[in-house]
Amino acid sequence: MNFVVFGAGSLGTLVGGLLAREHAVTLVARDPHATAVRESGLSVAGEFDFLVGADATTDGTDRRADCAIVTVKAFHTETAARELATGEFDAVLSLQNGMGNEDLLAAHLDCPVLAGTATYGAVLTEPGRVECTGIGEVVLGARDGGQSDPADRIGTAFSAAGIETTIADDMPRRLWEKLAVNAGINPTTALARVENGALRSGDAEEIAATAARETAAVARAEGVKLPDEDAVAAVRTVAEATAANTSSMRQDVEAGRRTEIDAINGYVVARGEKRDIDTPVNRTLAGLVKAWEQENGP
Ligand SMILES: NC(=O)C1=CN([C@@H]2O[C@H](COP(=O)(O)OP(=O)(O)OC[C@H]3O[C@@H](n4cnc5c(N)ncnc54)[C@H](OP(=O)(O)O)[C@@H]3O)[C@@H](O)[C@H]2O)C=CC1
Ligand SMILES: CC(C)(CO)C(=O)C(=O)O
């Protein structure tokens, strides 16, 4: 298959590099990263150790591929959607964190938009070089759930490239569960400046668990079966499995970058308001991170 990876920073470069071992891949990325990949290849380090050839460009318009994978931060999804709409794809797959990305993409595109989650850890360490900080899994499927031929084809292509992949028919529940994990872990670790493992005990654990319970309540009001216990268990499992991780939101805050708070806790608060469900912990966490962004963000 041939793939375009739109927004190849940390995660997109890792996924693109893994796919390029088996498929034709074009990264849509910023310079100097795009030029380095085009001229010297893409180096994948950490849990892997290989150099692979891939095409790379800074121009995301007029692209054609069997599949475009979207890996921009959530606040760039609208721009990505507009650029992708100038191209031709059999399907577009989001691997982003946060909610609302697939809807935004679908509003601009006339091909199937698939939902995905990724638990691989990735850090772009220098132009042309990405480090895999943890082997996880990609889960993908139809964004409204059910079977999907494009999801089957793309999932099979991911597996053929050695990416741990599950093709799922319950993506809405999986997206909400990942949202509960991110709503619990990301702002708590960003505000407290602690590693994910610090959320395994004490008040921080309870704050993260409460944010996850509120997220599950909103999910259920939206018709998604996500019991509180499952959402809390997912936070505990991820905090344990990624104990030494610096969450992406903590990385953003420490680097003075905009965060994905609007698509994570902000989304829970907004959907909760629509359903008359109070989400005080999510509102507090979102409010604090937004206050930081206003004072310190770009
Ligand atoms: N990194 C990880 O381990 C994981 C990340 N995720 C999720 O994946 C998504 C991406 O995260 P991550 O890879 O860390 O983020 P990055 O910021 O590293 O990567 C996104 C890249 O896309 C670039 N970009 C944005 N718009 C365009 C455009 N129009 N044309 C070309 N390039 C563009 C950005 O450039 P610029 O910075 O200049 O805007 C940036 O280099 C997020 O939703 C994140 O939560 C999920 C699981 C793991
Ligand atoms: C799963 C988790 C919390 C891992 O750090 C993550 O997705 C993130 O940092 O954004």
Side-chain angles (χ1 to χ4, degrees):
M1 284 185 81
N2 53 69
F3 289 90
V4 161
V5 181
F6 194 102
S10 296
L11 181 67
T13 301
L14 175 62
V15 171
L18 296 173
L19 285 172
R21 298 183 298 181
E22 186 71 22
H23 306 286
V25 172
T26 300
L27 304 184
V28 177
R30 304 292 195 200
D31 263 339
H33 181 45
T35 301
V37 170
R38 212 171 42 243
E39 292 182 352
S40 310
L42 195 170
S43 155
V44 183
E47 298 282 348
F48 298 92
D49 181 15
F50 65 88
L51 178 72
V52 69
D55 199 3
T57 175
T58 56
D59 182 2
T61 59
D62 295 323
R63 299 280 134 205
R64 281 167 193 233
D66 296 318
C67 174
I69 303 169
V70 181
T71 53
V72 295
K73 288 277 175 70
F75 45 82
H76 284 144
T77 305
E78 171 112 44
T79 313
R82 287 182 194 283
E83 289 191 37
L84 286 166
T86 63
E88 266 182 50
F89 308 99
D90 291 344
V92 170
L93 164 68
S94 163
L95 289 181
Q96 303 159 275
N97 277 338
M99 289 288 255
N101 295 304
E102 294 82 4
D103 289 349
L104 210 43
L105 290 165
H108 291 276
L109 300 169
D110 51 19
C111 64
V113 173
L114 305 174
T117 61
T119 52
Y120 277 81
V123 181
L124 191 67
T125 48
E126 61 187 85
R129 184 178 189 274
V130 67
E131 192 170 320
C132 176
T133 54
I135 294 181
E137 184 190 26
V138 168
V139 181
L140 63 92
R143 66 193 180 102
D144 295 326
Q147 192 272 339
S148 146
D149 288 344
D152 290 348
R153 277 199 301 279
I154 293 162
T156 303
F158 270 54
S159 295
I163 299 176
E164 297 295 328
T165 308
T166 298
I167 302 163
D169 62 6
D170 61 346
M171 282 315 295
R173 192 195 64 77
R174 287 174 185 266
L175 289 177
W176 276 97
E177 188 175 288
K178 182 90 196 288
L179 184 69
V181 167
N182 290 128
I185 294 181
N186 291 26
T188 315
T189 51
L191 291 164
R193 307 285 203 275
V194 292
E195 291 179 347
N196 295 357
L199 306 189
R200 289 176 294 181
S201 61
D203 289 344
E205 179 189 25
E206 192 44 39
I207 292 167
T210 309
R213 269 186 223 105
E214 290 178 5
T215 306
V218 177
R220 291 194 297 274
E222 300 255 320
V224 171
K225 285 192 186 121
L226 180 60
D228 282 1
E229 314 81 84
D230 289 11
V232 172
V235 171
R236 292 216 174 99
T237 304
V238 173
E240 182 66 49
T242 64
N245 264 34
T246 299
S247 76
S248 59
M249 197 171 287
R250 181 179 167 208
Q251 285 181 44
D252 288 339
V253 164
E254 287 180 342
R257 293 191 297 251
R258 185 174 173 188
T259 74
E260 295 185 297
I261 194 75
D262 290 333
I264 300 176
N265 305 78
Y267 185 89
V268 176
V269 173
R271 302 306 295 191
E273 276 167 6
K274 284 215 163 83
R275 302 276 176 188
D276 263 340
I277 293 176
D278 200 15
T279 54
V281 169
N282 276 279
R283 183 178 297 108
T284 303
L285 292 170
L288 291 171
V289 174
K290 294 291 282 181
W292 173 84
E293 281 190 351
Q294 272 154 26
E295 287 284 311
N296 303 284

